[in-house]
Amino acid sequence: MLQIGLDAGGTSTRATVVTTDGECVGYARSSGGNPISSGKIGASSAILDAIESALTRANATLSDVSVIVAAMAGGSADDSRDWLIEPLADRDFTGTVAWESDLLATYFSGTFSSFGYAIVSGTGAAVIRVEDGQIARTSDGLGWLLGDAGSGFWIGHNVALAVMSDIDGRGPSTALTPRLLEALGISTEGARVQGRSPALPRLITALYDMRPVQLAQFAPLAFSEPEDAVSRGILESAGSLLAHSVEAVHTENGPLVIGGSVLAQTGRLAETFAARLAAQGIEPAIVRVADGAVGSAVLALREAGVDITASVFRRVTDSVARMR
Amino acid sequence: MLQIGLDAGGTSTRATVVTTDGECVGYARSSGGNPISSGKIGASSAILDAIESALTRANATLSDVSVIVAAMAGGSADDSRDWLIEPLADRDFTGTVAWESDLLATYFSGTFSSFGYAIVSGTGAAVIRVEDGQIARTSDGLGWLLGDAGSGFWIGHNVALAVMSDIDGRGPSTALTPRLLEALGISTEGARVQGRSPALPRLITALYDMRPVQLAQFAPLAFSEPEDAVSRGILESAGSLLAHSVEAVHTENGPLVIGGSVLAQTGRLAETFAARLAAQGIEPAIVRVADGAVGSAVLALREAGVDITASVFRRVTDSVARMR
């Protein structure tokens, strides 16, 4: 029989088909598969697309599949999962469908250790401690309004705040200001209004027209101006906040799996992150992963009763890499 | 002829009818008159209600009125003002309608000096420097997402952040946590989920169900726990941020008019605000005002060509106080 791991994110979904030996025989990507960001219909359509394409590559059908594990963010046990279970049943799938955290899929993309840590900082940010292969503690992951400290949203929001303070005269001048105005196509021409740059009301309109979480798109501006004092301050603060989230769940030594675009960048943020952890005596073996594809397959194998040994884990990792 | 000053806020509107001598002969309150928060229909209905009630008290009609000045937040010169001008024309009003900043109405509620400062910290926060009776500089007032540093929103948001950090284990324990949970009717009973308090997902759901600006409702929790270290830190930071916004526009000495609920409270916030300003050599004569009613009437008189002398200003202030 085959197992399918689904790594269903806000912008893309990965379906990974593995044999019980851990050999990846099918892999496909589709669009966003998280029902919170894509809606239930959009998410189920994306997930079914990915499953179908991956099974086609594997020369298999759903009747060959015993277990599907869907790894995704934000699902609580109370939410109905019929949006995915029903269309699978309509396709005569009679196996098991199980849900797992996307953070755990990230973790098992980097290690098969039953104890360790994972941190993901993309648009949002969260850290987990894994014990006995399960999430024992979570830190942050609370969303843009209440947390996600050091995330892409956090950095982009702080870029916007720094630019507003610069233009407003409450904060220091920063190279981020012309960068943000350029990114939004905002001109500084025109007369000052009540002592303020004419760019200010344009910037206010442009930024409030976005959904707040879209401010994450300005995070790259901070990374592109590492010599600017304001930008450097934002990057260092983000690195510190991410390290702090790790410290909050850290007990004993274990591998640290790192996912998401923010900590994938080298420079001040990553350096501050590592230095702050080291100052707390935390110097883990670090494994960087691109996504949760391998981990979702590992979770599907585990759900099917397969013992995840070093050789199984290695086979999944190597064969997924070949299929991408 | 009579003049009407309108102080149109998000939650209430005040119409003040004054003679050319500055004698208040009519005054009335109604509901929110800002088109951004109440919609154009709601705002025009509230404003017309207030005008009608105030004129009834004055035994007058719109035909006795030469000037109406509407003081409100957030209106840009580009926005159509037909939502108020047309219904006034429908009621045969043939005088002048002029728009002013609500911050300037706050300023002129406290002083008739042609030079000085006003700070308002309610749900939002902003500072102005007034020169020759006009706004020469503004600081902050950029809304909950991009500014309003030290405002009621800022305090309430920081209360929520501190509680999330406490429950999440990233921040210190704080007395604000049981207060916020109680305010939202959230129980801490039940099993821990992935190492987290069962209150956490309930709190996340409750807070994301609000419009962000509604977090301002939790600002009073910070004021009610002045001995708690976390709460005290929030109040002191808010006081510092408000002082910083004053410093950003400060040139020479002038009176400082203070409006809004945040700086109306005595305690750590107000003390930090005053101490930080004093440390910068800024120790202005402070005038506290409840709203912009007097100032909107002063602006209406000025629009009608009346010279605002000390005795006119005194007459407006005293007669408005009697009419409330």
Side-chain angles (χ1 to χ4, degrees), chain B residues 2-320:
Chain B
L2 299 174
Q3 290 75 37
I4 298 180
L6 296 168
D7 176 31
T11 52
S12 64
T13 296
R14 283 151 290 277
T16 307
V17 183
V18 283
T19 66
T20 308
D21 294 338
E23 185 72 24
C24 176
V25 292
Y27 173 87
R29 275 180 59 133
S30 64
S31 57
N34 186 302
I36 298 168
S37 43
S38 300
K40 288 179 178 179
I41 292 168
S44 86
S45 153
I47 289 175
L48 292 167
D49 273 1
I51 289 175
E52 200 164 307
S53 303
L55 283 172
T56 301
R57 276 182 80 181
N59 290 316
T61 68
L62 271 176
S63 61
D64 303 314
V65 177
S66 64
V67 168
I68 297 176
V69 163
M72 62 181 66
S76 89
D78 302 338
D79 293 336
S80 164
R81 287 159 174 179
D82 293 346
W83 61 273
L84 182 57
I85 291 171
E86 284 180 1
L88 284 170
D90 289 347
R91 284 163 179 74
D92 297 326
F93 178 64
T94 55
T96 306
V97 185
W99 260 254
E100 290 279 5
S101 154
D102 59 331
L103 296 166
L104 203 58
T106 297
Y107 178 81
F108 280 118
S109 290
T111 182
F112 68 101
S113 169
S114 62
F115 182 90
Y117 306 89
I119 181 168
V120 176
S121 179
T123 302
V127 179
I128 54 171
R129 183 177 76 235
V130 174
E131 294 178 8
D132 297 328
Q134 305 290 344
I135 295 177
R137 279 283 280 125
T138 306
S139 173
D140 206 346
L142 301 173
W144 64 271
L145 182 63
L146 301 175
D148 284 355
S151 67
F153 168 78
W154 188 95
I155 297 168
H157 185 214
N158 276 273
V159 165
L161 290 173
V163 169
M164 298 306 286
S165 291
D166 175 7
I167 297 179
D168 195 30
R170 282 177 300 129
S173 174
T174 165
L176 293 169
T177 300
R179 296 297 303 272
L180 182 63
L181 293 174
E182 189 193 357
L184 291 167
I186 290 174
S187 136
T188 55
E189 285 178 20
R192 293 179 79 81
V193 180
Q194 298 182 338
R196 275 182 156 168
S197 162
L200 196 75
R202 295 171 193 150
L203 195 50
I204 290 172
T205 301
L207 294 173
Y208 278 99
D209 274 352
M210 297 180 182
R211 287 182 299 122
V213 77
Q214 292 181 290
L215 295 180
Q217 73 188 270
F218 305 122
L221 299 183
F223 287 104
S224 72
E225 293 288 348
E227 300 307 318
D228 178 78
V230 171
S231 185
R232 194 167 60 241
I234 293 171
L235 295 173
E236 290 174 354
S237 294
S240 270
L241 288 165
L242 292 170
H244 182 65
S245 293
V246 174
E247 290 160 37
V249 301
H250 198 270
T251 52
E252 52 197 292
N253 287 339
L256 173 63
V257 181
I258 295 182
S261 56
V262 168
L263 282 167
Q265 311 243 8
T266 53
R268 298 300 295 182
L269 190 153
E271 288 161 17
T272 306
F273 175 74
R276 167 138 184 194
L277 285 182
Q280 300 291 321
I282 303 174
E283 297 181 87
I286 284 177
V287 189
R288 294 176 187 279
V289 299
D291 54 45
V294 165
S296 69
V298 167
L299 289 166
L301 287 167
R302 189 173 79 175
E303 182 71 26
V306 175
D307 185 27
I308 311 298
T309 61
S311 69
V312 169
F313 183 73
R314 181 66 179 270
R315 193 174 302 126
V316 177
T317 306
D318 291 351
S319 58
V320 168

